[in-house]
Amino acid sequence: MRDMHCHILPGVDDGSRSLEESLQMLEAAKAAGITSITCTPHCRDPYFDYEAMWQAFYELEDAAGGFPLQMGFEVNHRKLMDLGLEWAQALHFDGSNEFLLELSTSAMPSRYADYERTIFALQGMGYEVIIAHPERYIAIQKDINVAYELVEMGCKLQASTDFIAGGRFGRERKPALKMLKGGLYSYLASDAHRVKHYEYFAKAWGKYADLLA
């Protein structure tokens, strides 16, 4: 079972603060039944340092005892626009065509036309666009049809499993359950920043994985 969104790399964003903590997170992931991890540090300000993030990946890989790790990024839309779409070739999941895109949590539906252009451009470049934690987005909390539109565009949706405890902002559980029951999600992922987040992953996966089958 793959965890395809987490902040386990040491010292590069608001996730793990040290290699020791990263290895503790890795043990918690194993205990939750995870058999491979895609590391997805933030590609957004103030965290993004491409070279440092790859170095952190190699450091964790060396210490992980052969546990399967893949390098990727959680790419914020605004940061991608600042960098330029040509950066997509450096920011997709290494060894695959998957591209994890984070939209603004506060954007209203009118802003989604900008997102559509970016998504279609990425798809035209051959990438499978995965939308990170749509249950956090106010537009979707207000109108679940926005999530349906993203799926109709060919996007895959990824739930962050802290929704089972209400989510980071305290209002993600209801929209997450709507999307699960509506068959909109393709992935459950930990979005783990700390060891305890893997407890949420285990609980959510155990309760709701059948809805993704």
Side-chain angles (χ1 to χ4, degrees):
M1 179 165 53
R2 177 175 66 146
D3 183 14
M4 49 80 68
H5 178 181
C6 70
H7 298 269
I8 195 171
L9 294 185
V12 293
D13 61 10
D14 58 347
S16 171
R17 293 157 290 194
S18 66
L19 180 59
E20 180 182 9
E21 185 173 12
S22 295
L23 293 174
Q24 291 170 352
M25 290 174 68
L26 181 59
E27 291 305 310
K30 292 177 184 177
I34 291 165
T35 55
S36 68
I37 289 175
T38 303
C39 308
T40 55
H42 287 297
C43 176
R44 66 174 169 87
D45 296 328
Y47 303 112
F48 183 58
D49 184 331
Y50 184 77
E51 296 298 331
M53 288 171 170
W54 267 103
Q55 284 303 120
F57 174 79
Y58 294 136
E59 181 182 13
L60 179 59
E61 187 176 48
D62 286 345
F67 185 89
L69 298 174
Q70 180 186 30
M71 184 59 175
F73 293 87
E74 180 187 7
V75 185
N76 178 269
H77 181 267
R78 177 179 292 180
K79 185 64 174 178
L80 180 61
M81 294 299 94
D82 290 343
L83 292 169
L85 279 170
E86 64 272 14
W87 264 82
Q89 64 183 334
L91 298 172
H92 66 89
F93 289 4
D94 188 44
S96 82
N97 70 335
E98 295 167 302
F99 191 97
L100 183 64
L101 184 64
E102 177 190 42
L103 309 181
S104 169
T105 58
S106 60
M108 292 294 103
S110 59
R111 173 73 188 281
Y112 276 64
D114 293 336
Y115 298 151
E116 288 180 11
R117 285 189 285 271
T118 300
I119 289 165
F120 286 139
L122 289 168
Q123 290 170 335
M125 296 165 71
Y127 297 112
E128 179 180 81
V129 178
I130 303 167
I131 303 298
H133 44 61
E135 66 277 0
R136 294 184 185 173
Y137 304 149
I138 289 176
I140 289 172
Q141 291 170 1
K142 290 180 176 293
D143 184 1
I144 200 70
N145 288 317
V146 175
Y148 279 95
E149 291 168 3
L150 288 168
V151 172
E152 288 172 2
M153 290 172 59
C155 296
K156 301 293 181 71
L157 305 187
Q158 169 256 306
S160 290
T161 50
D162 62 356
F163 78 80
I164 199 167
R168 185 165 301 177
F169 303 111
R171 54 180 180 262
E172 289 99 85
R173 184 178 177 86
K174 186 175 180 180
L177 291 177
K178 282 184 180 180
M179 284 184 274
L180 276 165
K181 292 174 181 177
L184 297 181
Y185 283 122
S186 295
Y187 304 104
L188 296 179
S190 73
D191 193 7
H193 288 61
R194 301 288 181 264
V195 170
K196 69 178 182 180
H197 293 161
Y198 283 109
E199 297 175 12
Y200 301 144
F201 179 92
K203 289 177 182 177
W205 186 264
K207 191 168 184 179
Y208 297 113
D210 60 319
L211 294 176
L212 278 76

